[in-house]
Amino acid sequence: MTTNQATKTQIEQLNEEIESQKLAQVVKLSKRSMAVAVLLSCLFPIGGYIYTRRWLPFLWFMLGGFLIGVTVGISEPDPDEAAGMAFNLSVIYGAIVAPLDNGQAIARSRQRVSDLSQ
């Protein structure tokens, strides 16, 4: 076996291992309770992401909250009013986005597992 073929084989094995790990994550997520994820997300938005163990979507969620704060901070000259507005908007954002995101993630993972099992 030439070096080129050996390298290709190693790359294929790594790709298969990565796909296997991704599939295992999807299966684990599909076994989570959607009701618990949505309830946790409604009460404590970060709790839903901890329950589903979805860290990258959690970072995107936090970035969205940060952008709300920055936008309000730039647009409102009074710092006290800006802080209150940013807090209120962030609460609304968290109460809507986190439950929807976590619930949809579980639904998508269940659908994917169902599709793969057929």
Side-chain angles (χ1 to χ4, degrees), residues 25-76:
Q25 288 176 336
V26 168
V27 170
K28 284 181 186 177
L29 182 59
S30 71
K31 293 179 181 179
R32 299 274 181 194
S33 167
M34 192 180 305
V36 171
V38 169
L39 181 65
L40 280 172
S41 296
C42 285
L43 298 175
F44 184 61
I46 296 170
Y49 288 101
I50 292 171
Y51 176 71
T52 58
R53 298 181 183 188
R54 298 172 52 243
W55 309 120
L56 187 59
F58 168 68
L59 291 176
W60 284 111
F61 172 77
M62 293 301 289
L63 179 64
F66 175 75
L67 290 175
I68 288 172
V70 168
T71 304
V72 170
I74 290 171
S75 65
E76 181 60 45

Side-chain angles (χ1 to χ4, degrees), residues 1-12:
M1 189 180 284
T2 66
T3 331
N4 215 9
Q5 289 174 334
T7 303
K8 285 182 182 179
T9 304
Q10 288 176 339
I11 290 172
E12 288 173 1

